[in-house]
Amino acid sequence: METKISKEATVVKHTGSQYLVSDLPNWELVTCVLRGKLRLKGSKTTNPIAVGDKVIYDPQEDGSGVITEVLPRKNYIIRKSTNLSRQAHIIASNLDQVFLVVTLDFPETKLEFIDRFLVTCEAYKIPAVILLNKRDLITQEYSAFKEFFYNTYAVSAGYNIIETSGLEGYDLTQLKEMCKGKLSLFSGISGVGKSSLINSLDPALSLKTGDISQYHKQGKHTTTYYQIHPLSSGGFIIDTPGIKGFGLLEMQKEELSHYFPEMLKVLDNCRFAPCTHTHEPGCRVKEAVENGTITEQRYQSYLSMLEQEEKYR
Ligand code: GDP
Ligand code: ZN
């Protein structure tokens, strides 16, 4: 009798009861199903296996596979739940970076949305890069706002901002370079030009962005299936159509400021520990807000998130 040799691969797509896996960075898809017993585990999430998961599967004679094990996740993000049920849906796991596509206007990406998004990425320990998209629309009249934006997110918070335009095909060289050898997730509010940008990164993907209109047709009560796409220039990406935001991990109130990099830098020197950076004397965070190294904008976002955290307790 032949002995079966188990193989390791990454889940790249999930449709119904089937999972497509590939031994990344190779792109050779194997259709798998879950071994019955495995299905019972992980009942806290609506999907026991997510895109990006590394799994062990037993190859079958017909070329398919049976998944027997899900390996521990390096990280994962969940979708903000739309109802009150505590069930979480894992969007993707084992991400190397997240690209947050934003526009200053047409449409306006609210800064509070950006702050929440970045906090979530910090909490999940996933590096975030801001793509300031539709750069062709950032005319002279936006120069003050643009300067403020850079000062807040690059100078003070330390994030990498890259100006892009799917329309102009800018700056695809840099973006492609950053995607090489990595699994990247693209996110952003609807209308910021995310699909156009992804399509200009790799025109071969344009067929697949049809999935997006499909999503809108389905309405909000159906499950969206996320998938990993290979980029012809190297690396793998996941698009997140229709995402309003990520679900926050449960965290202690005191932890929140750790997810603002510019606060993390100074908070060890606050006189009181823990410090909520609201009313305590000798607070280095408040000092930094006063001298401008932490911007008022980010501090206000912090306060409003802190307040909302309290409300849910
Ligand atoms: P998504 O909802 O984020 O996927 O956005 P789409 O890619 O569907 O683009 C939304 C709208 O913005 C479309 O009308 C695009 O033509 C337009 N758009 C996309 N990229 C750019 C850009 O770089 N500059 C300008 N001016 N418009 C763009
Ligand atoms: Zn403090």
Side-chain angles (χ1 to χ4, degrees), residues 19 36 85 135 139 162 194 211 239 276 305:
Y19 298 87
S85 85
R135 70 188 277 277
T139 49
I162 299 174
K194 188 162 53 71
D211 295 352
D239 185 15
T276 61
M305 290 179 74

PDB file of all heavy atoms in Angstrom, residues 19 36 85 135 139 162 194 211 239 276 305:
ATOM      1  N   TYR A  19     -12.100  24.663  -0.688  1.00  0.00           N
ATOM      2  CA  TYR A  19     -10.981  25.583  -0.482  1.00  0.00           C
ATOM      3  C   TYR A  19      -9.959  25.347  -1.584  1.00  0.00           C
ATOM      4  O   TYR A  19      -9.611  24.206  -1.855  1.00  0.00           O
ATOM      5  CB  TYR A  19     -10.320  25.343   0.866  1.00  0.00           C
ATOM      6  CG  TYR A  19     -11.247  25.590   2.027  1.00  0.00           C
ATOM      7  CD1 TYR A  19     -12.086  24.574   2.502  1.00  0.00           C
ATOM      8  CD2 TYR A  19     -11.309  26.838   2.631  1.00  0.00           C
ATOM      9  CE1 TYR A  19     -12.958  24.811   3.551  1.00  0.00           C
ATOM     10  CE2 TYR A  19     -12.176  27.081   3.681  1.00  0.00           C
ATOM     11  CZ  TYR A  19     -13.008  26.064   4.137  1.00  0.00           C
ATOM     12  OH  TYR A  19     -13.870  26.300   5.166  1.00  0.00           O
ATOM     13  N   GLY A  36     -14.070  16.251   8.111  1.00  0.00           N
ATOM     14  CA  GLY A  36     -15.273  16.462   8.911  1.00  0.00           C
ATOM     15  C   GLY A  36     -15.034  16.943  10.325  1.00  0.00           C
ATOM     16  O   GLY A  36     -15.606  17.942  10.754  1.00  0.00           O
ATOM     17  N   SER A  85     -24.539  39.830  17.019  1.00  0.00           N
ATOM     18  CA  SER A  85     -23.993  38.522  17.359  1.00  0.00           C
ATOM     19  C   SER A  85     -22.483  38.653  17.512  1.00  0.00           C
ATOM     20  O   SER A  85     -21.838  39.460  16.863  1.00  0.00           O
ATOM     21  CB  SER A  85     -24.308  37.494  16.280  1.00  0.00           C
ATOM     22  OG  SER A  85     -23.353  37.537  15.259  1.00  0.00           O
ATOM     23  N   ARG A 135      -3.962  61.288  -6.907  1.00  0.00           N
ATOM     24  CA  ARG A 135      -3.068  62.428  -6.713  1.00  0.00           C
ATOM     25  C   ARG A 135      -3.299  63.525  -7.748  1.00  0.00           C
ATOM     26  O   ARG A 135      -3.022  64.694  -7.495  1.00  0.00           O
ATOM     27  CB  ARG A 135      -1.609  61.972  -6.735  1.00  0.00           C
ATOM     28  CG  ARG A 135      -1.131  61.542  -8.108  1.00  0.00           C
ATOM     29  CD  ARG A 135       0.229  60.918  -8.069  1.00  0.00           C
ATOM     30  NE  ARG A 135       1.335  61.864  -8.076  1.00  0.00           N
ATOM     31  CZ  ARG A 135       1.839  62.422  -9.177  1.00  0.00           C
ATOM     32  NH1 ARG A 135       1.328  62.155 -10.358  1.00  0.00           N
ATOM     33  NH2 ARG A 135       2.851  63.233  -9.083  1.00  0.00           N
ATOM     34  N   THR A 139      -5.008  69.362  -6.132  1.00  0.00           N
ATOM     35  CA  THR A 139      -4.563  70.614  -6.733  1.00  0.00           C
ATOM     36  C   THR A 139      -4.053  71.582  -5.664  1.00  0.00           C
ATOM     37  O   THR A 139      -4.095  71.287  -4.469  1.00  0.00           O
ATOM     38  CB  THR A 139      -5.731  71.269  -7.492  1.00  0.00           C
ATOM     39  OG1 THR A 139      -6.857  71.286  -6.609  1.00  0.00           O
ATOM     40  CG2 THR A 139      -6.092  70.477  -8.742  1.00  0.00           C
ATOM     41  N   ILE A 162       2.396  56.997   0.334  1.00  0.00           N
ATOM     42  CA  ILE A 162       2.804  56.968  -1.070  1.00  0.00           C
ATOM     43  C   ILE A 162       1.675  57.567  -1.897  1.00  0.00           C
ATOM     44  O   ILE A 162       0.512  57.167  -1.760  1.00  0.00           O
ATOM     45  CB  ILE A 162       3.090  55.527  -1.527  1.00  0.00           C
ATOM     46  CG1 ILE A 162       4.239  54.948  -0.695  1.00  0.00           C
ATOM     47  CG2 ILE A 162       3.464  55.488  -3.002  1.00  0.00           C
ATOM     48  CD1 ILE A 162       4.491  53.499  -0.966  1.00  0.00           C
ATOM     49  N   LYS A 194      -9.688  52.077  -5.466  1.00  0.00           N
ATOM     50  CA  LYS A 194      -8.946  50.867  -5.096  1.00  0.00           C
ATOM     51  C   LYS A 194      -8.901  49.858  -6.239  1.00  0.00           C
ATOM     52  O   LYS A 194      -7.835  49.340  -6.577  1.00  0.00           O
ATOM     53  CB  LYS A 194      -9.600  50.253  -3.856  1.00  0.00           C
ATOM     54  CG  LYS A 194      -8.851  49.127  -3.235  1.00  0.00           C
ATOM     55  CD  LYS A 194      -9.329  48.887  -1.802  1.00  0.00           C
ATOM     56  CE  LYS A 194     -10.841  48.702  -1.686  1.00  0.00           C
ATOM     57  NZ  LYS A 194     -11.298  47.411  -2.241  1.00  0.00           N
ATOM     58  N   ASP A 211     -15.958  40.615  -9.453  1.00  0.00           N
ATOM     59  CA  ASP A 211     -16.443  40.137  -8.152  1.00  0.00           C
ATOM     60  C   ASP A 211     -17.041  41.273  -7.334  1.00  0.00           C
ATOM     61  O   ASP A 211     -17.902  41.070  -6.501  1.00  0.00           O
ATOM     62  CB  ASP A 211     -15.286  39.545  -7.331  1.00  0.00           C
ATOM     63  CG  ASP A 211     -14.734  38.305  -8.001  1.00  0.00           C
ATOM     64  OD1 ASP A 211     -15.363  37.869  -8.977  1.00  0.00           O
ATOM     65  OD2 ASP A 211     -13.700  37.804  -7.558  1.00  0.00           O
ATOM     66  N   ASP A 239      -8.032  41.802  -2.065  1.00  0.00           N
ATOM     67  CA  ASP A 239      -8.880  42.990  -2.128  1.00  0.00           C
ATOM     68  C   ASP A 239     -10.000  42.819  -1.093  1.00  0.00           C
ATOM     69  O   ASP A 239     -10.394  41.699  -0.783  1.00  0.00           O
ATOM     70  CB  ASP A 239      -9.466  43.103  -3.542  1.00  0.00           C
ATOM     71  CG  ASP A 239     -10.255  44.389  -3.716  1.00  0.00           C
ATOM     72  OD1 ASP A 239     -10.105  45.296  -2.873  1.00  0.00           O
ATOM     73  OD2 ASP A 239     -11.027  44.481  -4.685  1.00  0.00           O
ATOM     74  N   THR A 276      -4.145  57.171  31.427  1.00  0.00           N
ATOM     75  CA  THR A 276      -5.098  57.189  30.308  1.00  0.00           C
ATOM     76  C   THR A 276      -4.844  58.400  29.410  1.00  0.00           C
ATOM     77  O   THR A 276      -5.509  58.584  28.398  1.00  0.00           O
ATOM     78  CB  THR A 276      -6.560  57.238  30.801  1.00  0.00           C
ATOM     79  OG1 THR A 276      -6.738  58.443  31.553  1.00  0.00           O
ATOM     80  CG2 THR A 276      -6.898  56.029  31.649  1.00  0.00           C
ATOM     81  N   MET A 305     -12.092  57.287  20.657  1.00  0.00           N
ATOM     82  CA  MET A 305     -12.053  55.819  20.692  1.00  0.00           C
ATOM     83  C   MET A 305     -12.080  55.296  22.116  1.00  0.00           C
ATOM     84  O   MET A 305     -12.696  54.286  22.411  1.00  0.00           O
ATOM     85  CB  MET A 305     -10.800  55.309  19.966  1.00  0.00           C
ATOM     86  CG  MET A 305     -10.866  55.513  18.474  1.00  0.00           C
ATOM     87  SD  MET A 305      -9.381  54.949  17.627  1.00  0.00           S
ATOM     88  CE  MET A 305      -9.608  53.189  17.709  1.00  0.00           C
TER      89      MET A 305
END
